[in-house]
Amino acid sequence: MGDVLPFKPATPTTTEEPLWRELVGTRLRDRRHERGERLVDVAERAGVSSQYLSEVERGLKDPSSEILSAVAGALGLSVREIAGGIAHDLRAGLRADPRGPLCLAA
């Protein structure tokens, strides 16, 4: 029988996939900046503390669907628009970011 050779994975060309909460936070922060609004004003309209909204925008907190809906509404968005935009960005990124070699063994 032949020798067993260790498979050395290719050096990753990208960093780890971002977490969903990070993608949501970035999209919310970008929208708030587009509108030229302060964090405290959006947080007040959404009924959350500015500290909590800051943590959501930085991807440190994973908001419930109710909180996400309230913050999205305060920014003139729907949860569907946020999720759809993130999905679109991920699909576009996956096409431009090959995952490297694939090794299949039988």
Side-chain angles (χ1 to χ4, degrees):
M1 201 143 114
D3 294 333
V4 175
L5 301 173
F7 177 72
K8 295 180 183 177
T11 305
T13 57
T14 62
T15 59
E16 292 181 18
E17 248 183 69
L19 298 174
W20 177 255
R21 68 175 184 248
E22 293 169 344
L23 299 170
V24 168
T26 298
R27 184 150 297 257
L28 293 173
R29 184 179 52 247
D30 289 348
R31 176 62 172 206
R32 182 174 59 79
H33 287 169
E34 285 172 11
R35 292 170 54 113
E37 295 195 65
R38 297 181 317 157
L39 189 100
V40 67
D41 296 328
V42 174
E44 185 177 309
R45 284 198 312 272
V48 298
S49 72
S50 56
Q51 179 181 350
Y52 183 77
L53 180 54
S54 173
E55 290 172 341
V56 168
E57 286 187 356
R58 290 181 287 142
L60 301 176
K61 296 286 186 186
D62 197 359
S64 67
S65 58
E66 291 85 1
I67 297 292
L68 181 56
S69 179
V71 173
L75 290 167
L77 293 170
S78 68
V79 173
R80 179 180 290 188
E81 288 172 308
I82 291 171
I86 291 171
H88 177 269
D89 292 349
L90 287 173
R91 280 192 302 273
L94 289 176
R95 281 196 301 270
D97 178 25
R99 291 290 172 188
L102 176 63
C103 178
L104 299 176

